Amino acid sequence: MYESYWKEVDQKCSVTIPGFQSLSYFANIKNLCWFLEPKLEEEIKRLHNTVGNAIVEDRHIVVGTGSSQLILAAFYALSDPLNESGPVNIVSAVPFYSSYPEMSNYLQSTLFKWSGDARCFNKDGPYIEMVTSPNNPDGVIREPVVNRAKGMTVHDLAYYWPQYTAITSHADHDIMLFTVSKCTGHAGSRIGWALVRDEKVARKMVKFVEINTIGVSKEAQLRAANILEIISLSCQTDNKPHDLDNFFEHSHNLMVQRWNKLRDVVLNNGLFSVPKFPLQYCKFKRDFTETYPAFAWVKCKEGMDCEKLLRGQKILARSGRRFGSEPEYARISMLSRDEEFDLFVQRLSSIRGIGNEK
Amino acid sequence: MYESYWKEVDQKCSVTIPGFQSLSYFANIKNLCWFLEPKLEEEIKRLHNTVGNAIVEDRHIVVGTGSSQLILAAFYALSDPLNESGPVNIVSAVPFYSSYPEMSNYLQSTLFKWSGDARCFNKDGPYIEMVTSPNNPDGVIREPVVNRAKGMTVHDLAYYWPQYTAITSHADHDIMLFTVSKCTGHAGSRIGWALVRDEKVARKMVKFVEINTIGVSKEAQLRAANILEIISLSCQTDNKPHDLDNFFEHSHNLMVQRWNKLRDVVLNNGLFSVPKFPLQYCKFKRDFTETYPAFAWVKCKEGMDCEKLLRGQKILARSGRRFGSEPEYARISMLSRDEEFDLFVQRLSSIRGIGNEK
C-alpha cells in the first residue's frame, strides 16, 4: 500500500552506503544501546515528537531486528528476575497477535511460557501482559486487563500512528514497542524500537539482542533513519519541501478509501461483518477520526468457518482460531498492493452472490 | 583492518537503495528460505565456487542476522527432534568460542544446554558438537572430537577464507556457517549464512529465523551481495576490472605483516608465546601458506594472569577462562585498525621491558 508514496518521493529517500561504512559491530559505545545508530535515535525521537504518540524524554531506546526481536527481548528482560517459582506467565486478551504463543514457547524456555487469554488468567505469581493497541487483529484500543501485583506490561504500539487511528495522547508506559513495518511500510528492513523507562530492563533487552544477533544491521538502521526523516519533514507546515505530501495524511486517505470499499461490500452482504469504531479527536490531525486498522477482522455468520469460506474464493485470511478466537472470525490484511486489494474486494462481493443464492 | 581496501574501491562498492525497494517481508516465496534475496544467494554460491572452500551444490542456503542467529537456529533445528530425554548437550573442545555457553543457556531452554569441553564429554544421549575451524580463539584447524552415535555437528567456518588459512579442500559437512564479518570485514551488516545438507533441518532453521526476527534485513542482504560480488570479481584472472586488487591477496598480505610484527615482539620477549602453524598447500593461492588467525591466542608464563598483565599496559584482551581455558591465555584481535594494531604491538614490547627489569 505504501509503495506508491515511496515511488513518488523516490529521489529524496534513496540511501547510498559506501563500501567502507559501518564495518564495525559498534555504533556508539557510549550509548547504553551500543549498536544503535545515533542518526536513527535522533529520527525516532523527532518523529514521536512530531506525531505526539509517545513520550521519548528520559526513555532508553533499544533498537531491534524488527519488533519481534524486541518482544522476545522484553520477555527475557522482565522474566529473568521474576521466575523464581517457575516460568513467568505470558498473557494477552483474546483476540491476540497470533505469534505470541509461538514466540513464548518455541525454545521451551523455563524463564517464561504462554498462558493464553489475559481475561481468563487466574494463576498466582508473576505475569507479563502483552497489550497491543490498536490491537492486531481487531483494531480495538486496549488497556491492560489483569492489573495485579507481580504483573508487568509490554505495550505493542506498532499501529499507534495517525494513518490507522486517532492520536489521543502521548503514550506513557514502561515498555513501548514500535516498528517501521507498520509505520512506514518497510517490513523488509526489520527495524523496530523499544522505548523503555527502566534502565535495568533496557540493559537486559540490549543484552538479549547482543546474544541473539550481536546488534542490528547498520544498513537497515541508516535507511530507516532516512525514511523516518522524510516522514517528519513531510509533516512540517513551515519550511516543508514543497512537493512532499504529508505521509500520514496520504496514508490515512488510502486507509479511509479502502475501509469504505470494504464496508460497502459488507453492507450489501448478509454473510459478513467487520468491527465499528468510535469517532475520536486526533491531536495530530486536529480533527475527529475513526480507527482504520491495518487488518480487517471479518466475522461470518454463526457456525461458519470464515477462513475456509474465504479460501474458497481465493482470499488469503488467517483463521480466528490462530488469535485465540472462534472460527467464525478471520483476519485479512488491509495493506496489500492496490491491485491485490481491489481483487480481494471483488472476490468478497462474489461470495455475497453465493450467499444470496442459497 | 579491511577499511583501507574498501575505501580504495569506494565507487565500485557503494550500494544505493531507493525508498520503495524491498518493502515486503518476502524476498522469494518460492525459496525454502523465503526471506533470502536471490542476488545474495547467487553471490554466496559464486564466491564459494571462486574460493573453493565449501560445497554449495545441493545445499540449502539459510541467511541469518549474523552467524550468531544461525548458531541458535542450528541448536533449535537439531535439538527439537532429539530432546526426548531432556535437553540436548552442546559441547565444543577447549578453547572454544566464548559465546557458545551463553548462547546455549541464556533462555534456559529445555531443548538444549551447554555441557562444556567436548574432550571431557562422557554422557549418554544426544549431543551437538560445535566445530570451529580455523578455531576461535586459537586458529587451529579442527575436526570433531566426540564422534559418537546420536551426535550432530555444526561446522562454524567463519575463518575458513584464504586471508587466514590454506584452502585445502571444499568443506563438505552437514551444517556449515559463514559470515561476512570475518570474510569481508562488514561486521555491522549482521549477515551470515548456513549451507545445510538436510532439507528438514534447513526448514527448521528458517522457522527459527522467522519466529525470532521474521527474516533478515533486505538492505543488509543487498549490500552484502554487492560486496561479495566485488570480491569475486577481484579474484578473476581474466576480465578482471583492471584497478581491483585481489581482495584475499591484499588481506592475506596484511595478515602476514601483522603476524610478523607480533612474532618479532614475542621472539624478543621472555613472557609470551603465540601458537605456530604448519605450512599447508592452499589450492586457492596455489602456494604453501601458514595459518594467520584473526586472533592471537597469547600465552604467558605459568601462573600469570595474561588478561590482567595486558590490561596493565592498556591492551584489551579476553581471558583464556572465557574460552574454557587457563588464565595464562588471552585472546587479542588481529583485525583492528592499523593505528590500533601498531599501538598494541608497541605496548606489548613495552611489557617485555618490564619483564626484563625483574
Side-chain angles (χ1 to χ4, degrees), chain B residues 313-335:
Chain B
Q313 294 302 308
K314 297 186 183 170
I315 297 172
L316 198 66
R318 196 174 283 184
S319 169
R321 268 181 284 226
R322 300 277 302 277
F323 305 87
S325 199
E326 312 303 320
E328 285 91 342
Y329 289 92
R331 190 194 78 168
I332 301 171
S333 174
M334 295 292 285
L335 303 183

mmCIF file with all atom_site columns, all heavy atoms in Angstrom, chain B residues 313-335:
data_model
loop_
_atom_site.group_PDB
_atom_site.id
_atom_site.type_symbol
_atom_site.label_atom_id
_atom_site.label_alt_id
_atom_site.label_comp_id
_atom_site.label_asym_id
_atom_site.label_entity_id
_atom_site.label_seq_id
_atom_site.pdbx_PDB_ins_code
_atom_site.Cartn_x
_atom_site.Cartn_y
_atom_site.Cartn_z
_atom_site.occupancy
_atom_site.B_iso_or_equiv
_atom_site.pdbx_formal_charge
_atom_site.auth_seq_id
_atom_site.auth_comp_id
_atom_site.auth_asym_id
_atom_site.auth_atom_id
_atom_site.pdbx_PDB_model_num
ATOM 1   N N   . GLN B 1 313 ? 48.923 -2.787  30.669 1.00 0.00 ? 313 GLN B N   1
ATOM 2   C CA  . GLN B 1 313 ? 49.522 -1.988  29.597 1.00 0.00 ? 313 GLN B CA  1
ATOM 3   C C   . GLN B 1 313 ? 48.479 -1.462  28.613 1.00 0.00 ? 313 GLN B C   1
ATOM 4   O O   . GLN B 1 313 ? 48.799 -1.126  27.466 1.00 0.00 ? 313 GLN B O   1
ATOM 5   C CB  . GLN B 1 313 ? 50.568 -2.820  28.833 1.00 0.00 ? 313 GLN B CB  1
ATOM 6   C CG  . GLN B 1 313 ? 51.777 -3.198  29.657 1.00 0.00 ? 313 GLN B CG  1
ATOM 7   C CD  . GLN B 1 313 ? 52.519 -1.991  30.217 1.00 0.00 ? 313 GLN B CD  1
ATOM 8   O OE1 . GLN B 1 313 ? 52.854 -1.081  29.476 1.00 0.00 ? 313 GLN B OE1 1
ATOM 9   N NE2 . GLN B 1 313 ? 52.731 -1.972  31.535 1.00 0.00 ? 313 GLN B NE2 1
ATOM 10  N N   . LYS B 1 314 ? 47.246 -1.427  29.076 1.00 0.00 ? 314 LYS B N   1
ATOM 11  C CA  . LYS B 1 314 ? 46.133 -0.923  28.255 1.00 0.00 ? 314 LYS B CA  1
ATOM 12  C C   . LYS B 1 314 ? 45.954 -1.711  26.957 1.00 0.00 ? 314 LYS B C   1
ATOM 13  O O   . LYS B 1 314 ? 45.631 -1.135  25.897 1.00 0.00 ? 314 LYS B O   1
ATOM 14  C CB  . LYS B 1 314 ? 46.326 0.571   27.932 1.00 0.00 ? 314 LYS B CB  1
ATOM 15  C CG  . LYS B 1 314 ? 46.305 1.444   29.181 1.00 0.00 ? 314 LYS B CG  1
ATOM 16  C CD  . LYS B 1 314 ? 46.356 2.900   28.779 1.00 0.00 ? 314 LYS B CD  1
ATOM 17  C CE  . LYS B 1 314 ? 46.409 3.813   29.990 1.00 0.00 ? 314 LYS B CE  1
ATOM 18  N NZ  . LYS B 1 314 ? 46.694 5.207   29.604 1.00 0.00 ? 314 LYS B NZ  1
ATOM 19  N N   . ILE B 1 315 ? 46.204 -3.017  27.047 1.00 0.00 ? 315 ILE B N   1
ATOM 20  C CA  . ILE B 1 315 ? 45.908 -3.872  25.895 1.00 0.00 ? 315 ILE B CA  1
ATOM 21  C C   . ILE B 1 315 ? 44.637 -4.648  26.217 1.00 0.00 ? 315 ILE B C   1
ATOM 22  O O   . ILE B 1 315 ? 44.569 -5.371  27.205 1.00 0.00 ? 315 ILE B O   1
ATOM 23  C CB  . ILE B 1 315 ? 47.064 -4.851  25.597 1.00 0.00 ? 315 ILE B CB  1
ATOM 24  C CG1 . ILE B 1 315 ? 48.318 -4.063  25.207 1.00 0.00 ? 315 ILE B CG1 1
ATOM 25  C CG2 . ILE B 1 315 ? 46.677 -5.837  24.502 1.00 0.00 ? 315 ILE B CG2 1
ATOM 26  C CD1 . ILE B 1 315 ? 49.560 -4.922  25.072 1.00 0.00 ? 315 ILE B CD1 1
ATOM 27  N N   . LEU B 1 316 ? 43.629 -4.448  25.361 1.00 0.00 ? 316 LEU B N   1
ATOM 28  C CA  . LEU B 1 316 ? 42.338 -5.091  25.571 1.00 0.00 ? 316 LEU B CA  1
ATOM 29  C C   . LEU B 1 316 ? 42.422 -6.542  25.112 1.00 0.00 ? 316 LEU B C   1
ATOM 30  O O   . LEU B 1 316 ? 42.690 -6.817  23.945 1.00 0.00 ? 316 LEU B O   1
ATOM 31  C CB  . LEU B 1 316 ? 41.266 -4.355  24.760 1.00 0.00 ? 316 LEU B CB  1
ATOM 32  C CG  . LEU B 1 316 ? 39.820 -4.603  25.179 1.00 0.00 ? 316 LEU B CG  1
ATOM 33  C CD1 . LEU B 1 316 ? 39.555 -4.035  26.564 1.00 0.00 ? 316 LEU B CD1 1
ATOM 34  C CD2 . LEU B 1 316 ? 38.865 -3.988  24.167 1.00 0.00 ? 316 LEU B CD2 1
ATOM 35  N N   . ALA B 1 317 ? 42.207 -7.456  26.038 1.00 0.00 ? 317 ALA B N   1
ATOM 36  C CA  . ALA B 1 317 ? 42.259 -8.872  25.688 1.00 0.00 ? 317 ALA B CA  1
ATOM 37  C C   . ALA B 1 317 ? 41.159 -9.586  26.447 1.00 0.00 ? 317 ALA B C   1
ATOM 38  O O   . ALA B 1 317 ? 40.623 -9.069  27.425 1.00 0.00 ? 317 ALA B O   1
ATOM 39  C CB  . ALA B 1 317 ? 43.614 -9.450  26.058 1.00 0.00 ? 317 ALA B CB  1
ATOM 40  N N   . ARG B 1 318 ? 40.814 -10.786 25.990 1.00 0.00 ? 318 ARG B N   1
ATOM 41  C CA  . ARG B 1 318 ? 39.791 -11.572 26.674 1.00 0.00 ? 318 ARG B CA  1
ATOM 42  C C   . ARG B 1 318 ? 40.472 -12.772 27.312 1.00 0.00 ? 318 ARG B C   1
ATOM 43  O O   . ARG B 1 318 ? 41.226 -13.496 26.655 1.00 0.00 ? 318 ARG B O   1
ATOM 44  C CB  . ARG B 1 318 ? 38.737 -12.019 25.648 1.00 0.00 ? 318 ARG B CB  1
ATOM 45  C CG  . ARG B 1 318 ? 37.459 -12.504 26.270 1.00 0.00 ? 318 ARG B CG  1
ATOM 46  C CD  . ARG B 1 318 ? 36.401 -12.796 25.224 1.00 0.00 ? 318 ARG B CD  1
ATOM 47  N NE  . ARG B 1 318 ? 35.767 -11.591 24.696 1.00 0.00 ? 318 ARG B NE  1
ATOM 48  C CZ  . ARG B 1 318 ? 34.755 -11.605 23.826 1.00 0.00 ? 318 ARG B CZ  1
ATOM 49  N NH1 . ARG B 1 318 ? 34.273 -12.763 23.382 1.00 0.00 ? 318 ARG B NH1 1
ATOM 50  N NH2 . ARG B 1 318 ? 34.224 -10.484 23.389 1.00 0.00 ? 318 ARG B NH2 1
ATOM 51  N N   . SER B 1 319 ? 40.227 -12.960 28.599 1.00 0.00 ? 319 SER B N   1
ATOM 52  C CA  . SER B 1 319 ? 40.921 -14.004 29.350 1.00 0.00 ? 319 SER B CA  1
ATOM 53  C C   . SER B 1 319 ? 40.650 -15.406 28.806 1.00 0.00 ? 319 SER B C   1
ATOM 54  O O   . SER B 1 319 ? 39.526 -15.706 28.381 1.00 0.00 ? 319 SER B O   1
ATOM 55  C CB  . SER B 1 319 ? 40.475 -13.972 30.812 1.00 0.00 ? 319 SER B CB  1
ATOM 56  O OG  . SER B 1 319 ? 40.944 -15.128 31.495 1.00 0.00 ? 319 SER B OG  1
ATOM 57  N N   . GLY B 1 320 ? 41.658 -16.262 28.866 1.00 0.00 ? 320 GLY B N   1
ATOM 58  C CA  . GLY B 1 320 ? 41.518 -17.660 28.487 1.00 0.00 ? 320 GLY B CA  1
ATOM 59  C C   . GLY B 1 320 ? 40.375 -18.350 29.201 1.00 0.00 ? 320 GLY B C   1
ATOM 60  O O   . GLY B 1 320 ? 39.744 -19.253 28.644 1.00 0.00 ? 320 GLY B O   1
ATOM 61  N N   . ARG B 1 321 ? 40.097 -17.921 30.423 1.00 0.00 ? 321 ARG B N   1
ATOM 62  C CA  . ARG B 1 321 ? 38.985 -18.511 31.191 1.00 0.00 ? 321 ARG B CA  1
ATOM 63  C C   . ARG B 1 321 ? 37.674 -18.473 30.433 1.00 0.00 ? 321 ARG B C   1
ATOM 64  O O   . ARG B 1 321 ? 36.860 -19.387 30.539 1.00 0.00 ? 321 ARG B O   1
ATOM 65  C CB  . ARG B 1 321 ? 38.809 -17.757 32.514 1.00 0.00 ? 321 ARG B CB  1
ATOM 66  C CG  . ARG B 1 321 ? 39.597 -18.382 33.653 1.00 0.00 ? 321 ARG B CG  1
ATOM 67  C CD  . ARG B 1 321 ? 39.369 -17.605 34.921 1.00 0.00 ? 321 ARG B CD  1
ATOM 68  N NE  . ARG B 1 321 ? 40.150 -16.374 34.867 1.00 0.00 ? 321 ARG B NE  1
ATOM 69  C CZ  . ARG B 1 321 ? 40.902 -15.920 35.866 1.00 0.00 ? 321 ARG B CZ  1
ATOM 70  N NH1 . ARG B 1 321 ? 40.942 -16.566 37.005 1.00 0.00 ? 321 ARG B NH1 1
ATOM 71  N NH2 . ARG B 1 321 ? 41.606 -14.813 35.728 1.00 0.00 ? 321 ARG B NH2 1
ATOM 72  N N   . ARG B 1 322 ? 37.468 -17.370 29.680 1.00 0.00 ? 322 ARG B N   1
ATOM 73  C CA  . ARG B 1 322 ? 36.210 -17.224 28.943 1.00 0.00 ? 322 ARG B CA  1
ATOM 74  C C   . ARG B 1 322 ? 36.066 -18.281 27.851 1.00 0.00 ? 322 ARG B C   1
ATOM 75  O O   . ARG B 1 322 ? 34.970 -18.538 27.356 1.00 0.00 ? 322 ARG B O   1
ATOM 76  C CB  . ARG B 1 322 ? 36.130 -15.826 28.308 1.00 0.00 ? 322 ARG B CB  1
ATOM 77  C CG  . ARG B 1 322 ? 36.180 -14.658 29.290 1.00 0.00 ? 322 ARG B CG  1
ATOM 78  C CD  . ARG B 1 322 ? 34.811 -14.362 29.882 1.00 0.00 ? 322 ARG B CD  1
ATOM 79  N NE  . ARG B 1 322 ? 33.839 -14.073 28.835 1.00 0.00 ? 322 ARG B NE  1
ATOM 80  C CZ  . ARG B 1 322 ? 33.677 -12.883 28.250 1.00 0.00 ? 322 ARG B CZ  1
ATOM 81  N NH1 . ARG B 1 322 ? 34.418 -11.865 28.611 1.00 0.00 ? 322 ARG B NH1 1
ATOM 82  N NH2 . ARG B 1 322 ? 32.767 -12.708 27.309 1.00 0.00 ? 322 ARG B NH2 1
ATOM 83  N N   . PHE B 1 323 ? 37.207 -18.885 27.472 1.00 0.00 ? 323 PHE B N   1
ATOM 84  C CA  . PHE B 1 323 ? 37.199 -19.880 26.400 1.00 0.00 ? 323 PHE B CA  1
ATOM 85  C C   . PHE B 1 323 ? 37.342 -21.298 26.959 1.00 0.00 ? 323 PHE B C   1
ATOM 86  O O   . PHE B 1 323 ? 37.687 -22.224 26.244 1.00 0.00 ? 323 PHE B O   1
ATOM 87  C CB  . PHE B 1 323 ? 38.336 -19.573 25.406 1.00 0.00 ? 323 PHE B CB  1
ATOM 88  C CG  . PHE B 1 323 ? 38.272 -18.171 24.853 1.00 0.00 ? 323 PHE B CG  1
ATOM 89  C CD1 . PHE B 1 323 ? 38.876 -17.100 25.515 1.00 0.00 ? 323 PHE B CD1 1
ATOM 90  C CD2 . PHE B 1 323 ? 37.576 -17.912 23.686 1.00 0.00 ? 323 PHE B CD2 1
ATOM 91  C CE1 . PHE B 1 323 ? 38.801 -15.808 25.019 1.00 0.00 ? 323 PHE B CE1 1
ATOM 92  C CE2 . PHE B 1 323 ? 37.506 -16.616 23.177 1.00 0.00 ? 323 PHE B CE2 1
ATOM 93  C CZ  . PHE B 1 323 ? 38.110 -15.562 23.852 1.00 0.00 ? 323 PHE B CZ  1
ATOM 94  N N   . GLY B 1 324 ? 37.104 -21.426 28.279 1.00 0.00 ? 324 GLY B N   1
ATOM 95  C CA  . GLY B 1 324 ? 37.214 -22.730 28.928 1.00 0.00 ? 324 GLY B CA  1
ATOM 96  C C   . GLY B 1 324 ? 38.648 -23.114 29.216 1.00 0.00 ? 324 GLY B C   1
ATOM 97  O O   . GLY B 1 324 ? 38.942 -24.262 29.553 1.00 0.00 ? 324 GLY B O   1
ATOM 98  N N   . SER B 1 325 ? 39.568 -22.150 29.086 1.00 0.00 ? 325 SER B N   1
ATOM 99  C CA  . SER B 1 325 ? 40.992 -22.431 29.184 1.00 0.00 ? 325 SER B CA  1
ATOM 100 C C   . SER B 1 325 ? 41.598 -21.788 30.444 1.00 0.00 ? 325 SER B C   1
ATOM 101 O O   . SER B 1 325 ? 40.878 -21.337 31.334 1.00 0.00 ? 325 SER B O   1
ATOM 102 C CB  . SER B 1 325 ? 41.651 -21.912 27.906 1.00 0.00 ? 325 SER B CB  1
ATOM 103 O OG  . SER B 1 325 ? 42.899 -22.500 27.716 1.00 0.00 ? 325 SER B OG  1
ATOM 104 N N   . GLU B 1 326 ? 42.914 -21.736 30.507 1.00 0.00 ? 326 GLU B N   1
ATOM 105 C CA  . GLU B 1 326 ? 43.619 -21.243 31.695 1.00 0.00 ? 326 GLU B CA  1
ATOM 106 C C   . GLU B 1 326 ? 43.801 -19.719 31.631 1.00 0.00 ? 326 GLU B C   1
ATOM 107 O O   . GLU B 1 326 ? 43.875 -19.153 30.540 1.00 0.00 ? 326 GLU B O   1
ATOM 108 C CB  . GLU B 1 326 ? 45.013 -21.879 31.774 1.00 0.00 ? 326 GLU B CB  1
ATOM 109 C CG  . GLU B 1 326 ? 45.023 -23.380 31.585 1.00 0.00 ? 326 GLU B CG  1
ATOM 110 C CD  . GLU B 1 326 ? 44.135 -24.076 32.588 1.00 0.00 ? 326 GLU B CD  1
ATOM 111 O OE1 . GLU B 1 326 ? 44.124 -23.655 33.763 1.00 0.00 ? 326 GLU B OE1 1
ATOM 112 O OE2 . GLU B 1 326 ? 43.425 -25.025 32.199 1.00 0.00 ? 326 GLU B OE2 1
ATOM 113 N N   . PRO B 1 327 ? 43.959 -19.082 32.806 1.00 0.00 ? 327 PRO B N   1
ATOM 114 C CA  . PRO B 1 327 ? 44.203 -17.636 32.830 1.00 0.00 ? 327 PRO B CA  1
ATOM 115 C C   . PRO B 1 327 ? 45.562 -17.234 32.257 1.00 0.00 ? 327 PRO B C   1
ATOM 116 O O   . PRO B 1 327 ? 45.790 -16.057 31.994 1.00 0.00 ? 327 PRO B O   1
ATOM 117 C CB  . PRO B 1 327 ? 44.108 -17.268 34.309 1.00 0.00 ? 327 PRO B CB  1
ATOM 118 C CG  . PRO B 1 327 ? 44.209 -18.540 35.059 1.00 0.00 ? 327 PRO B CG  1
ATOM 119 C CD  . PRO B 1 327 ? 43.769 -19.639 34.152 1.00 0.00 ? 327 PRO B CD  1
ATOM 120 N N   . GLU B 1 328 ? 46.449 -18.204 32.034 1.00 0.00 ? 328 GLU B N   1
ATOM 121 C CA  . GLU B 1 328 ? 47.712 -17.892 31.354 1.00 0.00 ? 328 GLU B CA  1
ATOM 122 C C   . GLU B 1 328 ? 47.484 -17.453 29.912 1.00 0.00 ? 328 GLU B C   1
ATOM 123 O O   . GLU B 1 328 ? 48.367 -16.864 29.283 1.00 0.00 ? 328 GLU B O   1
ATOM 124 C CB  . GLU B 1 328 ? 48.650 -19.115 31.307 1.00 0.00 ? 328 GLU B CB  1
ATOM 125 C CG  . GLU B 1 328 ? 49.329 -19.456 32.607 1.00 0.00 ? 328 GLU B CG  1
ATOM 126 C CD  . GLU B 1 328 ? 48.532 -20.436 33.437 1.00 0.00 ? 328 GLU B CD  1
ATOM 127 O OE1 . GLU B 1 328 ? 47.312 -20.587 33.161 1.00 0.00 ? 328 GLU B OE1 1
ATOM 128 O OE2 . GLU B 1 328 ? 49.099 -21.049 34.350 1.00 0.00 ? 328 GLU B OE2 1
ATOM 129 N N   . TYR B 1 329 ? 46.296 -17.794 29.382 1.00 0.00 ? 329 TYR B N   1
ATOM 130 C CA  . TYR B 1 329 ? 45.985 -17.452 27.996 1.00 0.00 ? 329 TYR B CA  1
ATOM 131 C C   . TYR B 1 329 ? 45.106 -16.197 27.914 1.00 0.00 ? 329 TYR B C   1
ATOM 132 O O   . TYR B 1 329 ? 44.340 -15.915 28.829 1.00 0.00 ? 329 TYR B O   1
ATOM 133 C CB  . TYR B 1 329 ? 45.219 -18.596 27.320 1.00 0.00 ? 329 TYR B CB  1
ATOM 134 C CG  . TYR B 1 329 ? 46.043 -19.822 27.047 1.00 0.00 ? 329 TYR B CG  1
ATOM 135 C CD1 . TYR B 1 329 ? 46.099 -20.860 27.974 1.00 0.00 ? 329 TYR B CD1 1
ATOM 136 C CD2 . TYR B 1 329 ? 46.751 -19.949 25.858 1.00 0.00 ? 329 TYR B CD2 1
ATOM 137 C CE1 . TYR B 1 329 ? 46.846 -22.006 27.723 1.00 0.00 ? 329 TYR B CE1 1
ATOM 138 C CE2 . TYR B 1 329 ? 47.503 -21.085 25.591 1.00 0.00 ? 329 TYR B CE2 1
ATOM 139 C CZ  . TYR B 1 329 ? 47.549 -22.107 26.527 1.00 0.00 ? 329 TYR B CZ  1
ATOM 140 O OH  . TYR B 1 329 ? 48.284 -23.223 26.260 1.00 0.00 ? 329 TYR B OH  1
ATOM 141 N N   . ALA B 1 330 ? 45.239 -15.483 26.798 1.00 0.00 ? 330 ALA B N   1
ATOM 142 C CA  . ALA B 1 330 ? 44.297 -14.398 26.492 1.00 0.00 ? 330 ALA B CA  1
ATOM 143 C C   . ALA B 1 330 ? 44.202 -14.255 24.974 1.00 0.00 ? 330 ALA B C   1
ATOM 144 O O   . ALA B 1 330 ? 45.141 -14.596 24.246 1.00 0.00 ? 330 ALA B O   1
ATOM 145 C CB  . ALA B 1 330 ? 44.732 -13.091 27.132 1.00 0.00 ? 330 ALA B CB  1
ATOM 146 N N   . ARG B 1 331 ? 43.055 -13.764 24.533 1.00 0.00 ? 331 ARG B N   1
ATOM 147 C CA  . ARG B 1 331 ? 42.816 -13.599 23.101 1.00 0.00 ? 331 ARG B CA  1
ATOM 148 C C   . ARG B 1 331 ? 42.831 -12.121 22.733 1.00 0.00 ? 331 ARG B C   1
ATOM 149 O O   . ARG B 1 331 ? 42.212 -11.301 23.393 1.00 0.00 ? 331 ARG B O   1
ATOM 150 C CB  . ARG B 1 331 ? 41.443 -14.180 22.742 1.00 0.00 ? 331 ARG B CB  1
ATOM 151 C CG  . ARG B 1 331 ? 41.191 -14.286 21.256 1.00 0.00 ? 331 ARG B CG  1
ATOM 152 C CD  . ARG B 1 331 ? 39.728 -14.526 20.979 1.00 0.00 ? 331 ARG B CD  1
ATOM 153 N NE  . ARG B 1 331 ? 38.952 -13.296 21.103 1.00 0.00 ? 331 ARG B NE  1
ATOM 154 C CZ  . ARG B 1 331 ? 37.684 -13.150 20.708 1.00 0.00 ? 331 ARG B CZ  1
ATOM 155 N NH1 . ARG B 1 331 ? 37.034 -14.177 20.188 1.00 0.00 ? 331 ARG B NH1 1
ATOM 156 N NH2 . ARG B 1 331 ? 37.050 -11.999 20.851 1.00 0.00 ? 331 ARG B NH2 1
ATOM 157 N N   . ILE B 1 332 ? 43.590 -11.801 21.678 1.00 0.00 ? 332 ILE B N   1
ATOM 158 C CA  . ILE B 1 332 ? 43.679 -10.415 21.198 1.00 0.00 ? 332 ILE B CA  1
ATOM 159 C C   . ILE B 1 332 ? 43.304 -10.384 19.722 1.00 0.00 ? 332 ILE B C   1
ATOM 160 O O   . ILE B 1 332 ? 43.759 -11.228 18.942 1.00 0.00 ? 332 ILE B O   1
ATOM 161 C CB  . ILE B 1 332 ? 45.118 -9.875  21.360 1.00 0.00 ? 332 ILE B CB  1
ATOM 162 C CG1 . ILE B 1 332 ? 45.541 -9.941  22.828 1.00 0.00 ? 332 ILE B CG1 1
ATOM 163 C CG2 . ILE B 1 332 ? 45.222 -8.451  20.837 1.00 0.00 ? 332 ILE B CG2 1
ATOM 164 C CD1 . ILE B 1 332 ? 47.006 -9.639  23.043 1.00 0.00 ? 332 ILE B CD1 1
ATOM 165 N N   . SER B 1 333 ? 42.489 -9.398  19.336 1.00 0.00 ? 333 SER B N   1
ATOM 166 C CA  . SER B 1 333 ? 42.088 -9.292  17.932 1.00 0.00 ? 333 SER B CA  1
ATOM 167 C C   . SER B 1 333 ? 43.267 -8.871  17.062 1.00 0.00 ? 333 SER B C   1
ATOM 168 O O   . SER B 1 333 ? 44.039 -7.983  17.415 1.00 0.00 ? 333 SER B O   1
ATOM 169 C CB  . SER B 1 333 ? 40.955 -8.279  17.778 1.00 0.00 ? 333 SER B CB  1
ATOM 170 O OG  . SER B 1 333 ? 40.694 -8.090  16.390 1.00 0.00 ? 333 SER B OG  1
ATOM 171 N N   . MET B 1 334 ? 43.406 -9.496  15.909 1.00 0.00 ? 334 MET B N   1
ATOM 172 C CA  . MET B 1 334 ? 44.416 -9.111  14.915 1.00 0.00 ? 334 MET B CA  1
ATOM 173 C C   . MET B 1 334 ? 43.786 -8.298  13.785 1.00 0.00 ? 334 MET B C   1
ATOM 174 O O   . MET B 1 334 ? 44.456 -7.982  12.803 1.00 0.00 ? 334 MET B O   1
ATOM 175 C CB  . MET B 1 334 ? 45.069 -10.362 14.318 1.00 0.00 ? 334 MET B CB  1
ATOM 176 C CG  . MET B 1 334 ? 45.864 -11.194 15.301 1.00 0.00 ? 334 MET B CG  1
ATOM 177 S SD  . MET B 1 334 ? 47.377 -10.363 15.903 1.00 0.00 ? 334 MET B SD  1
ATOM 178 C CE  . MET B 1 334 ? 48.457 -10.524 14.453 1.00 0.00 ? 334 MET B CE  1
ATOM 179 N N   . LEU B 1 335 ? 42.492 -7.939  13.918 1.00 0.00 ? 335 LEU B N   1
ATOM 180 C CA  . LEU B 1 335 ? 41.792 -7.265  12.822 1.00 0.00 ? 335 LEU B CA  1
ATOM 181 C C   . LEU B 1 335 ? 41.483 -5.797  13.106 1.00 0.00 ? 335 LEU B C   1
ATOM 182 O O   . LEU B 1 335 ? 40.680 -5.176  12.417 1.00 0.00 ? 335 LEU B O   1
ATOM 183 C CB  . LEU B 1 335 ? 40.475 -7.996  12.506 1.00 0.00 ? 335 LEU B CB  1
ATOM 184 C CG  . LEU B 1 335 ? 40.554 -9.476  12.148 1.00 0.00 ? 335 LEU B CG  1
ATOM 185 C CD1 . LEU B 1 335 ? 39.172 -10.016 11.803 1.00 0.00 ? 335 LEU B CD1 1
ATOM 186 C CD2 . LEU B 1 335 ? 41.512 -9.721  10.987 1.00 0.00 ? 335 LEU B CD2 1
#
